[in-house]
Amino acid sequence: MKLLLDFLPLLLFFGTFKFAEAHKEWAAAFCSNHLSFLVSGGVVGVEEAPVLLATLVVIAATLVQVAVLKLRGKKIDLMLWITLALVVVLGGATVWFHNATFIKWKPSAAFWAMGLALWVSQAIFKKNLLQSMIGGELQLPPTVWQRLNFAWVAFFGLMGLLNLYVAYSYSTSTWATFKVFGVYGLMIAFTVAQVIYLSRYLKDAPESAPAADKQP
């Protein structure tokens, strides 16, 4: 359920973008007639309408996501707060200035913010955020926690660069597909690699009692 809730805003962004891209005239007219107060000049062009409409949807979906978690009394993790701030600020700039560049920077900014948080907490405050978050579930040597932290810092840094490469080298449609499926596919692959690496450090399950100790 949590995974679906986390992924829902991106799916709505992608679905809205693809629908609007296939109906550009309608999307431009809808934005200009109903959302003109959010846009500088009040008129949305045909080519910019899909990403503007999709951006408005993802802003609304992320706000609803945070509100639902709050109403249910659930803890909102750091990544979601960062995502909310970036999607409102950069997404709002995309809509107001008719410029998709702002929202295209959002994934990179989020990745780099998370990587910076992990690095600063370890290098300056001598606190491993990963260990704080999942240390109750994994018992690992301190050196392994440091390697794990560095691996995620490097991964977030590279993902931020990769997002910008796709954003500036390919069409907005290709970037939207990469943002939803490419990013999450790479994150899943990296997580699986981490699990395989950490498996050697996981404690074995308690062995069953020796046969000699069992009662007949």
Side-chain angles (χ1 to χ4, degrees), residues 76-148:
I76 301 176
D77 57 37
L78 177 62
M79 188 62 186
L80 183 52
W81 282 123
I82 292 175
T83 298
L84 176 63
L86 291 174
V87 80
V88 170
V89 174
L90 296 179
T94 284
V95 173
W96 180 255
F97 293 109
H98 307 235
N99 192 335
T101 300
F102 295 101
I103 196 64
K104 288 181 178 181
W105 271 81
K106 179 259 169 187
S108 295
F111 283 131
W112 291 338
M114 282 300 299
L116 183 62
L118 292 175
W119 180 79
V120 168
S121 63
Q122 180 73 55
I124 298 180
F125 299 104
K126 308 303 180 183
K127 181 179 179 180
N128 192 304
L129 284 183
L130 287 176
Q131 186 174 5
S132 300
M133 291 186 290
I134 61 175
E137 302 173 12
L138 294 175
Q139 299 296 321
L140 302 173
T143 54
V144 176
W145 279 116
Q146 291 180 4
R147 292 174 195 163
L148 191 63

Side-chain angles (χ1 to χ4, degrees), residues 9-88:
L10 281 178
L11 288 178
L12 291 174
F13 175 90
F14 182 75
T16 302
F17 179 85
K18 287 300 182 181
F19 178 83
E21 189 178 37
H23 305 83
K24 290 183 179 180
E25 296 287 347
W26 171 86
F30 179 86
C31 290
S32 297
N33 293 334
H34 301 285
L35 304 171
S36 59
F37 64 97
L38 296 173
V39 183
S40 175
V43 178
V44 177
V46 172
E47 294 302 320
E48 61 203 34
V51 71
L52 263 65
L53 190 57
T55 298
L56 287 170
V57 168
V58 79
I59 292 173
T62 307
L63 288 170
V64 170
Q65 181 183 17
V66 172
V68 168
L69 290 174
K70 275 290 188 181
L71 291 173
R72 295 178 62 191
K74 301 292 185 179
K75 181 182 178 181
I76 301 176
D77 57 37
L78 177 62
M79 188 62 186
L80 183 52
W81 282 123
I82 292 175
T83 298
L84 176 63
L86 291 174
V87 80
V88 170

Side-chain angles (χ1 to χ4, degrees), residues 13 20 28 34 41 45 47 61-62 70 75-76 128 138 148-149 156 169 172 174-175 178 181 195 198 204 208:
F13 175 90
H34 301 285
E47 294 302 320
T62 307
K70 275 290 188 181
K75 181 182 178 181
I76 301 176
N128 192 304
L138 294 175
L148 191 63
N149 190 74
F156 284 138
S169 301
T172 300
T174 300
W175 169 80
F178 170 77
F181 300 104
V195 171
L198 294 176
D204 296 331
S208 57

